[in-house]
Amino acid sequence: MSLIAFQGMPGAYSDLACRTAFPGAATLPCESFQAAMAAVREGRADLAMLPPENSIVGRVGDMHALLPDSGLSIIGETFLRVEHCLLAPKGTRISDIKRIHSHPVALGQVKRLIAELGATAVVEYDTAGAAEIIAKLDSKADAAIASSLAGEMYGLEILRRNVEDEAHNTTRFYIMAREPLPVEPETPGLMTTFVFNVRNVPAALYKALGGFATNGVNMTRLESYMVNGSFTATQFLAEVEGHPAQSGLQHAFEELGFFCTDFKVLGTYKMDPYRLAHG
């Protein structure tokens, strides 16, 4: 049975994502993204599932900066539809609730519920942590926004399901391992994730990316972020469809090499069916 590391407390959405993607697998809660990566790198876990982006809040934390030096490879992706639940001690009525506790991002996604109940939003460090706090408080005036898994783990009652303001709230997760997962170049529906820095010359980014267009490679994602706090050193994370051994992507990477530094492929893997269905 696989052991999958994630960032957060037991019952967090990342924990739920691990259990959904790998039914029957054991999960390993970690305090940080770095700790989850280290657990895999050091052999204490088989895989890590870490979120690079969410459909509402966009890029997640420091994931991009951590990926190049993680020592791990991306071997897959999965998507979790985030379904917020209103959790409270058993016997609580919705009219009893005066305060709603959760992570600030989750609280920002349930504004209509907070307004409807006239409740006060209380910021906690984690959604599952908020559920644990509510269980310990055992106060009918206090409720949490967290996953159904957190409610089950901490013995709370689900007063309402799907209380999020936006129905498309979805988080994407990278599945990461110590070694890359070999995939044949002709396999359909492949994605390649890589990072690079451009040289400090005029129009370097424009020239670096031109090879993808001329070789018919579809780029699905391009994001920039600062390196080591420098305003002049910018790193890019990009994702394209295809395998590096395919002629089009191979030629595009060759052209990219003329204008960039520190180029590194983080993984080539099959697209999740969710991406194909919602593309």
Side-chain angles (χ1 to χ4, degrees), residues 173-190:
F173 290 84
Y174 286 139
I175 302 170
M176 306 187 72
R178 286 184 292 278
E179 301 293 336
L181 184 66
V183 288
E184 295 297 327
E186 62 272 15
T187 303
L190 292 181

Side-chain angles (χ1 to χ4, degrees), residues 174-247:
Y174 286 139
I175 302 170
M176 306 187 72
R178 286 184 292 278
E179 301 293 336
L181 184 66
V183 288
E184 295 297 327
E186 62 272 15
T187 303
L190 292 181
M191 177 80 68
T192 294
T193 300
F194 60 98
V195 292
F196 65 95
N197 290 31
V198 293
R199 300 184 185 281
N200 190 20
V201 296
L205 180 61
Y206 173 79
K207 295 174 182 177
L209 298 182
F212 295 96
T214 56
N215 287 284
V217 176
N218 184 32
M219 180 171 286
T220 62
R221 187 178 184 199
L222 178 67
E223 291 202 29
S224 65
Y225 53 101
M226 290 189 298
V227 179
N228 299 323
S230 170
F231 286 96
T232 58
T234 301
Q235 191 163 58
F236 294 87
L237 181 142
E239 293 183 334
V240 294
E241 294 180 1
H243 190 291
Q246 293 173 347
S247 60

Side-chain angles (χ1 to χ4, degrees), residues 56-108:
I56 292 180
V57 301
R59 188 165 69 193
V60 174
D62 299 324
M63 271 294 297
H64 295 60
L66 296 173
L67 287 170
D69 299 319
S70 69
L72 305 179
S73 294
I74 302 171
I75 65 166
E77 65 174 356
T78 190
F79 294 78
L80 178 72
R81 167 76 169 84
V82 178
E83 299 178 326
H84 289 312
C85 294
L86 179 65
L87 307 175
K90 295 187 186 302
T92 301
R93 297 174 301 177
I94 288 183
S95 59
D96 296 330
I97 296 171
K98 305 300 180 187
R99 293 170 293 276
I100 296 178
H101 303 241
S102 198
H103 185 277
V105 171
L107 290 172

Side-chain angles (χ1 to χ4, degrees), residues 35-190:
M37 291 175 176
V40 177
R41 194 168 54 244
E42 296 165 5
R44 291 181 285 110
D46 301 298
L47 301 171
M49 278 184 48
L50 302 171
E53 57 186 334
N54 173 270
S55 62
I56 292 180
V57 301
R59 188 165 69 193
V60 174
D62 299 324
M63 271 294 297
H64 295 60
L66 296 173
L67 287 170
D69 299 319
S70 69
L72 305 179
S73 294
I74 302 171
I75 65 166
E77 65 174 356
T78 190
F79 294 78
L80 178 72
R81 167 76 169 84
V82 178
E83 299 178 326
H84 289 312
C85 294
L86 179 65
L87 307 175
K90 295 187 186 302
T92 301
R93 297 174 301 177
I94 288 183
S95 59
D96 296 330
I97 296 171
K98 305 300 180 187
R99 293 170 293 276
I100 296 178
H101 303 241
S102 198
H103 185 277
V105 171
L107 290 172
Q109 295 171 352
V110 294
K111 291 179 180 178
R112 285 202 293 265
L113 174 69
I114 293 172
E116 175 194 336
L117 301 184
T120 300
V122 180
V123 172
E124 306 292 358
Y125 62 93
D126 184 73
T127 55
E132 183 182 40
I133 288 169
I134 295 307
K136 290 179 178 177
L137 282 175
D138 195 25
S139 163
K140 292 183 179 180
D142 292 88
I145 297 296
S147 69
S148 58
L149 178 61
E152 179 183 332
M153 285 188 165
Y154 298 108
L156 299 174
E157 186 175 347
I158 299 176
L159 300 186
R160 281 192 196 173
R161 294 178 182 268
N162 301 105
V163 295
E164 59 275 4
D165 296 338
E166 302 292 340
H168 62 79
N169 188 358
T170 302
T171 299
R172 179 187 180 209
F173 290 84
Y174 286 139
I175 302 170
M176 306 187 72
R178 286 184 292 278
E179 301 293 336
L181 184 66
V183 288
E184 295 297 327
E186 62 272 15
T187 303
L190 292 181

